[in-house]
Amino acid sequence: MNPTILRRVQIVLLLVGLVVTTMALVMVAGCHRNDAQIDAHRAIVMADVVSADRLHAAVNFQTADGQFHSPRLGLLYPTELTQGQRISVEYDATNPDLARPAGRSWTLAIVPAISVAVIGWIIVGLVMVALAEVNRRLTRRAAQRESSSATEDEWGAASEENDDQDAITERESPETSNA
């Protein structure tokens, strides 16, 4: 592999790792920002969990002004919730779409963010090691081909020299026998 191409691929892989790390940091920062908004205008209410899975939980609750509300994107930090459960929910009184189970905070996003960053860097590292190994093998194979062709050229040149020596000897032989 061309060293320039290999270097550019390595740089792109490092940039991918940096993008994944930046995404993880933005995820934590976004959770912190959402929690800050909820804390600034906090309202607490009891809510019914309508549906729940590992990554999403939909709830219905009645806001302080008497309206029923269901956050469009579900609750923040929805783990360990089950359908039919009745939970205490903290929400932003100015934006009821921003809601979380009471007692949960942005710190729950740190472990998933670190996991994403670590897995991203492991993948980048494995791809870089694999590329380096492929490049090493290709370089070794090319060097072996060059050395074997150079050896063949040397053998060819040596046999041509031997042929020339034989031809010279044959020419000299009749002359010496005539003398």
Side-chain angles (χ1 to χ4, degrees), residues 73-95:
L73 301 175
L75 290 180
L76 303 172
Y77 327 117
T79 56
E80 300 175 8
L81 297 177
T82 58
Q83 184 176 353
Q85 191 175 8
R86 190 158 172 81
I87 61 169
S88 180
V89 172
E90 298 173 346
Y91 69 95
D92 180 356
T94 62
N95 180 11

PDB file of all heavy atoms in Angstrom, residues 73-95:
ATOM      1  N   LEU A  73     -41.346  12.623  22.812  1.00  0.00           N
ATOM      2  CA  LEU A  73     -40.208  11.697  22.702  1.00  0.00           C
ATOM      3  C   LEU A  73     -40.077  10.774  23.910  1.00  0.00           C
ATOM      4  O   LEU A  73     -39.090  10.064  24.043  1.00  0.00           O
ATOM      5  CB  LEU A  73     -38.915  12.484  22.503  1.00  0.00           C
ATOM      6  CG  LEU A  73     -38.884  13.391  21.262  1.00  0.00           C
ATOM      7  CD1 LEU A  73     -37.610  14.204  21.225  1.00  0.00           C
ATOM      8  CD2 LEU A  73     -39.051  12.574  20.000  1.00  0.00           C
ATOM      9  N   GLY A  74     -41.051  10.806  24.786  1.00  0.00           N
ATOM     10  CA  GLY A  74     -41.003   9.960  25.967  1.00  0.00           C
ATOM     11  C   GLY A  74     -40.188  10.596  27.081  1.00  0.00           C
ATOM     12  O   GLY A  74     -39.811  11.763  27.026  1.00  0.00           O
ATOM     13  N   LEU A  75     -39.916   9.810  28.108  1.00  0.00           N
ATOM     14  CA  LEU A  75     -39.150  10.286  29.263  1.00  0.00           C
ATOM     15  C   LEU A  75     -37.653  10.229  29.002  1.00  0.00           C
ATOM     16  O   LEU A  75     -37.169   9.371  28.265  1.00  0.00           O
ATOM     17  CB  LEU A  75     -39.431   9.412  30.485  1.00  0.00           C
ATOM     18  CG  LEU A  75     -40.800   9.506  31.124  1.00  0.00           C
ATOM     19  CD1 LEU A  75     -40.862   8.553  32.307  1.00  0.00           C
ATOM     20  CD2 LEU A  75     -41.100  10.913  31.568  1.00  0.00           C
ATOM     21  N   LEU A  76     -36.927  11.113  29.653  1.00  0.00           N
ATOM     22  CA  LEU A  76     -35.476  10.996  29.705  1.00  0.00           C
ATOM     23  C   LEU A  76     -35.151   9.889  30.707  1.00  0.00           C
ATOM     24  O   LEU A  76     -35.873   9.698  31.689  1.00  0.00           O
ATOM     25  CB  LEU A  76     -34.858  12.311  30.176  1.00  0.00           C
ATOM     26  CG  LEU A  76     -35.184  13.564  29.353  1.00  0.00           C
ATOM     27  CD1 LEU A  76     -34.649  14.802  30.061  1.00  0.00           C
ATOM     28  CD2 LEU A  76     -34.595  13.451  27.974  1.00  0.00           C
ATOM     29  N   TYR A  77     -34.088   9.152  30.497  1.00  0.00           N
ATOM     30  CA  TYR A  77     -33.615   8.097  31.404  1.00  0.00           C
ATOM     31  C   TYR A  77     -34.716   7.069  31.685  1.00  0.00           C
ATOM     32  O   TYR A  77     -35.110   6.858  32.827  1.00  0.00           O
ATOM     33  CB  TYR A  77     -33.087   8.690  32.713  1.00  0.00           C
ATOM     34  CG  TYR A  77     -32.429  10.031  32.557  1.00  0.00           C
ATOM     35  CD1 TYR A  77     -32.951  11.164  33.166  1.00  0.00           C
ATOM     36  CD2 TYR A  77     -31.301  10.170  31.758  1.00  0.00           C
ATOM     37  CE1 TYR A  77     -32.350  12.401  33.001  1.00  0.00           C
ATOM     38  CE2 TYR A  77     -30.700  11.406  31.589  1.00  0.00           C
ATOM     39  CZ  TYR A  77     -31.236  12.517  32.217  1.00  0.00           C
ATOM     40  OH  TYR A  77     -30.660  13.736  32.055  1.00  0.00           O
ATOM     41  N   PRO A  78     -35.216   6.378  30.650  1.00  0.00           N
ATOM     42  CA  PRO A  78     -36.388   5.504  30.808  1.00  0.00           C
ATOM     43  C   PRO A  78     -36.103   4.081  31.290  1.00  0.00           C
ATOM     44  O   PRO A  78     -37.003   3.251  31.291  1.00  0.00           O
ATOM     45  CB  PRO A  78     -36.936   5.458  29.385  1.00  0.00           C
ATOM     46  CG  PRO A  78     -35.717   5.518  28.536  1.00  0.00           C
ATOM     47  CD  PRO A  78     -34.792   6.467  29.266  1.00  0.00           C
ATOM     48  N   THR A  79     -34.893   3.774  31.712  1.00  0.00           N
ATOM     49  CA  THR A  79     -34.566   2.388  32.071  1.00  0.00           C
ATOM     50  C   THR A  79     -35.368   1.919  33.279  1.00  0.00           C
ATOM     51  O   THR A  79     -35.765   2.710  34.138  1.00  0.00           O
ATOM     52  CB  THR A  79     -33.063   2.242  32.380  1.00  0.00           C
ATOM     53  OG1 THR A  79     -32.710   3.167  33.399  1.00  0.00           O
ATOM     54  CG2 THR A  79     -32.230   2.497  31.146  1.00  0.00           C
ATOM     55  N   GLU A  80     -35.583   0.613  33.332  1.00  0.00           N
ATOM     56  CA  GLU A  80     -36.232  -0.073  34.448  1.00  0.00           C
ATOM     57  C   GLU A  80     -37.666   0.382  34.696  1.00  0.00           C
ATOM     58  O   GLU A  80     -38.156   0.350  35.831  1.00  0.00           O
ATOM     59  CB  GLU A  80     -35.397   0.063  35.725  1.00  0.00           C
ATOM     60  CG  GLU A  80     -34.007  -0.517  35.594  1.00  0.00           C
ATOM     61  CD  GLU A  80     -33.157  -0.282  36.817  1.00  0.00           C
ATOM     62  OE1 GLU A  80     -33.682   0.210  37.840  1.00  0.00           O
ATOM     63  OE2 GLU A  80     -31.966  -0.583  36.748  1.00  0.00           O
ATOM     64  N   LEU A  81     -38.357   0.803  33.671  1.00  0.00           N
ATOM     65  CA  LEU A  81     -39.776   1.139  33.786  1.00  0.00           C
ATOM     66  C   LEU A  81     -40.576   0.065  33.066  1.00  0.00           C
ATOM     67  O   LEU A  81     -40.127  -0.502  32.074  1.00  0.00           O
ATOM     68  CB  LEU A  81     -40.068   2.509  33.176  1.00  0.00           C
ATOM     69  CG  LEU A  81     -39.387   3.707  33.834  1.00  0.00           C
ATOM     70  CD1 LEU A  81     -39.720   4.982  33.078  1.00  0.00           C
ATOM     71  CD2 LEU A  81     -39.795   3.836  35.290  1.00  0.00           C
ATOM     72  N   THR A  82     -41.775  -0.209  33.572  1.00  0.00           N
ATOM     73  CA  THR A  82     -42.636  -1.205  32.938  1.00  0.00           C
ATOM     74  C   THR A  82     -44.005  -0.602  32.668  1.00  0.00           C
ATOM     75  O   THR A  82     -44.454   0.320  33.360  1.00  0.00           O
ATOM     76  CB  THR A  82     -42.794  -2.451  33.837  1.00  0.00           C
ATOM     77  OG1 THR A  82     -43.332  -2.051  35.095  1.00  0.00           O
ATOM     78  CG2 THR A  82     -41.476  -3.164  34.034  1.00  0.00           C
ATOM     79  N   GLN A  83     -44.668  -1.153  31.673  1.00  0.00           N
ATOM     80  CA  GLN A  83     -45.995  -0.685  31.294  1.00  0.00           C
ATOM     81  C   GLN A  83     -46.958  -0.888  32.466  1.00  0.00           C
ATOM     82  O   GLN A  83     -46.937  -1.904  33.143  1.00  0.00           O
ATOM     83  CB  GLN A  83     -46.478  -1.444  30.069  1.00  0.00           C
ATOM     84  CG  GLN A  83     -47.806  -0.962  29.551  1.00  0.00           C
ATOM     85  CD  GLN A  83     -48.200  -1.677  28.271  1.00  0.00           C
ATOM     86  OE1 GLN A  83     -47.427  -2.426  27.709  1.00  0.00           O
ATOM     87  NE2 GLN A  83     -49.402  -1.421  27.817  1.00  0.00           N
ATOM     88  N   GLY A  84     -47.796   0.120  32.705  1.00  0.00           N
ATOM     89  CA  GLY A  84     -48.779   0.057  33.782  1.00  0.00           C
ATOM     90  C   GLY A  84     -48.272   0.595  35.106  1.00  0.00           C
ATOM     91  O   GLY A  84     -49.042   0.768  36.052  1.00  0.00           O
ATOM     92  N   GLN A  85     -46.990   0.864  35.197  1.00  0.00           N
ATOM     93  CA  GLN A  85     -46.391   1.363  36.432  1.00  0.00           C
ATOM     94  C   GLN A  85     -46.828   2.814  36.651  1.00  0.00           C
ATOM     95  O   GLN A  85     -47.037   3.581  35.717  1.00  0.00           O
ATOM     96  CB  GLN A  85     -44.872   1.281  36.281  1.00  0.00           C
ATOM     97  CG  GLN A  85     -44.081   1.509  37.522  1.00  0.00           C
ATOM     98  CD  GLN A  85     -42.582   1.287  37.285  1.00  0.00           C
ATOM     99  OE1 GLN A  85     -42.139   1.106  36.149  1.00  0.00           O
ATOM    100  NE2 GLN A  85     -41.824   1.296  38.352  1.00  0.00           N
ATOM    101  N   ARG A  86     -46.973   3.203  37.904  1.00  0.00           N
ATOM    102  CA  ARG A  86     -47.304   4.593  38.246  1.00  0.00           C
ATOM    103  C   ARG A  86     -46.070   5.174  38.929  1.00  0.00           C
ATOM    104  O   ARG A  86     -45.603   4.638  39.944  1.00  0.00           O
ATOM    105  CB  ARG A  86     -48.521   4.631  39.154  1.00  0.00           C
ATOM    106  CG  ARG A  86     -49.082   5.981  39.371  1.00  0.00           C
ATOM    107  CD  ARG A  86     -50.542   5.871  39.807  1.00  0.00           C
ATOM    108  NE  ARG A  86     -51.085   7.140  40.204  1.00  0.00           N
ATOM    109  CZ  ARG A  86     -51.539   8.068  39.355  1.00  0.00           C
ATOM    110  NH1 ARG A  86     -51.507   7.832  38.064  1.00  0.00           N
ATOM    111  NH2 ARG A  86     -52.019   9.212  39.786  1.00  0.00           N
ATOM    112  N   ILE A  87     -45.525   6.253  38.339  1.00  0.00           N
ATOM    113  CA  ILE A  87     -44.266   6.816  38.836  1.00  0.00           C
ATOM    114  C   ILE A  87     -44.395   8.311  39.057  1.00  0.00           C
ATOM    115  O   ILE A  87     -45.284   8.972  38.498  1.00  0.00           O
ATOM    116  CB  ILE A  87     -43.101   6.547  37.858  1.00  0.00           C
ATOM    117  CG1 ILE A  87     -43.364   7.195  36.496  1.00  0.00           C
ATOM    118  CG2 ILE A  87     -42.826   5.067  37.717  1.00  0.00           C
ATOM    119  CD1 ILE A  87     -42.170   7.193  35.569  1.00  0.00           C
ATOM    120  N   SER A  88     -43.487   8.834  39.837  1.00  0.00           N
ATOM    121  CA  SER A  88     -43.392  10.277  40.041  1.00  0.00           C
ATOM    122  C   SER A  88     -42.505  10.851  38.941  1.00  0.00           C
ATOM    123  O   SER A  88     -41.421  10.320  38.670  1.00  0.00           O
ATOM    124  CB  SER A  88     -42.793  10.564  41.414  1.00  0.00           C
ATOM    125  OG  SER A  88     -42.688  11.945  41.625  1.00  0.00           O
ATOM    126  N   VAL A  89     -42.970  11.910  38.283  1.00  0.00           N
ATOM    127  CA  VAL A  89     -42.255  12.499  37.156  1.00  0.00           C
ATOM    128  C   VAL A  89     -41.954  13.964  37.444  1.00  0.00           C
ATOM    129  O   VAL A  89     -42.816  14.701  37.936  1.00  0.00           O
ATOM    130  CB  VAL A  89     -43.098  12.380  35.855  1.00  0.00           C
ATOM    131  CG1 VAL A  89     -42.465  13.152  34.719  1.00  0.00           C
ATOM    132  CG2 VAL A  89     -43.279  10.937  35.473  1.00  0.00           C
ATOM    133  N   GLU A  90     -40.730  14.365  37.159  1.00  0.00           N
ATOM    134  CA  GLU A  90     -40.346  15.781  37.207  1.00  0.00           C
ATOM    135  C   GLU A  90     -40.357  16.286  35.773  1.00  0.00           C
ATOM    136  O   GLU A  90     -39.831  15.629  34.879  1.00  0.00           O
ATOM    137  CB  GLU A  90     -38.944  15.934  37.797  1.00  0.00           C
ATOM    138  CG  GLU A  90     -38.813  15.451  39.215  1.00  0.00           C
ATOM    139  CD  GLU A  90     -37.374  15.472  39.708  1.00  0.00           C
ATOM    140  OE1 GLU A  90     -36.438  15.615  38.885  1.00  0.00           O
ATOM    141  OE2 GLU A  90     -37.181  15.322  40.923  1.00  0.00           O
ATOM    142  N   TYR A  91     -40.939  17.455  35.555  1.00  0.00           N
ATOM    143  CA  TYR A  91     -40.967  18.010  34.202  1.00  0.00           C
ATOM    144  C   TYR A  91     -40.764  19.513  34.256  1.00  0.00           C
ATOM    145  O   TYR A  91     -40.886  20.139  35.313  1.00  0.00           O
ATOM    146  CB  TYR A  91     -42.274  17.637  33.486  1.00  0.00           C
ATOM    147  CG  TYR A  91     -43.514  18.295  34.037  1.00  0.00           C
ATOM    148  CD1 TYR A  91     -44.022  19.467  33.478  1.00  0.00           C
ATOM    149  CD2 TYR A  91     -44.188  17.748  35.130  1.00  0.00           C
ATOM    150  CE1 TYR A  91     -45.148  20.070  33.988  1.00  0.00           C
ATOM    151  CE2 TYR A  91     -45.314  18.329  35.634  1.00  0.00           C
ATOM    152  CZ  TYR A  91     -45.797  19.504  35.066  1.00  0.00           C
ATOM    153  OH  TYR A  91     -46.919  20.093  35.576  1.00  0.00           O
ATOM    154  N   ASP A  92     -40.452  20.084  33.113  1.00  0.00           N
ATOM    155  CA  ASP A  92     -40.281  21.528  32.977  1.00  0.00           C
ATOM    156  C   ASP A  92     -41.681  22.132  32.831  1.00  0.00           C
ATOM    157  O   ASP A  92     -42.393  21.817  31.871  1.00  0.00           O
ATOM    158  CB  ASP A  92     -39.426  21.818  31.744  1.00  0.00           C
ATOM    159  CG  ASP A  92     -39.173  23.300  31.511  1.00  0.00           C
ATOM    160  OD1 ASP A  92     -39.722  24.131  32.265  1.00  0.00           O
ATOM    161  OD2 ASP A  92     -38.423  23.619  30.575  1.00  0.00           O
ATOM    162  N   ALA A  93     -42.079  22.976  33.770  1.00  0.00           N
ATOM    163  CA  ALA A  93     -43.426  23.550  33.755  1.00  0.00           C
ATOM    164  C   ALA A  93     -43.666  24.390  32.505  1.00  0.00           C
ATOM    165  O   ALA A  93     -44.808  24.514  32.055  1.00  0.00           O
ATOM    166  CB  ALA A  93     -43.659  24.379  35.013  1.00  0.00           C
ATOM    167  N   THR A  94     -42.610  24.956  31.920  1.00  0.00           N
ATOM    168  CA  THR A  94     -42.773  25.759  30.702  1.00  0.00           C
ATOM    169  C   THR A  94     -42.748  24.904  29.443  1.00  0.00           C
ATOM    170  O   THR A  94     -43.157  25.362  28.381  1.00  0.00           O
ATOM    171  CB  THR A  94     -41.669  26.835  30.607  1.00  0.00           C
ATOM    172  OG1 THR A  94     -40.399  26.184  30.532  1.00  0.00           O
ATOM    173  CG2 THR A  94     -41.721  27.782  31.793  1.00  0.00           C
ATOM    174  N   ASN A  95     -42.256  23.659  29.551  1.00  0.00           N
ATOM    175  CA  ASN A  95     -42.176  22.739  28.408  1.00  0.00           C
ATOM    176  C   ASN A  95     -42.405  21.319  28.911  1.00  0.00           C
ATOM    177  O   ASN A  95     -41.452  20.597  29.193  1.00  0.00           O
ATOM    178  CB  ASN A  95     -40.810  22.865  27.724  1.00  0.00           C
ATOM    179  CG  ASN A  95     -40.664  21.935  26.547  1.00  0.00           C
ATOM    180  OD1 ASN A  95     -41.626  21.322  26.094  1.00  0.00           O
ATOM    181  ND2 ASN A  95     -39.446  21.802  26.054  1.00  0.00           N
TER     182      ASN A  95
END
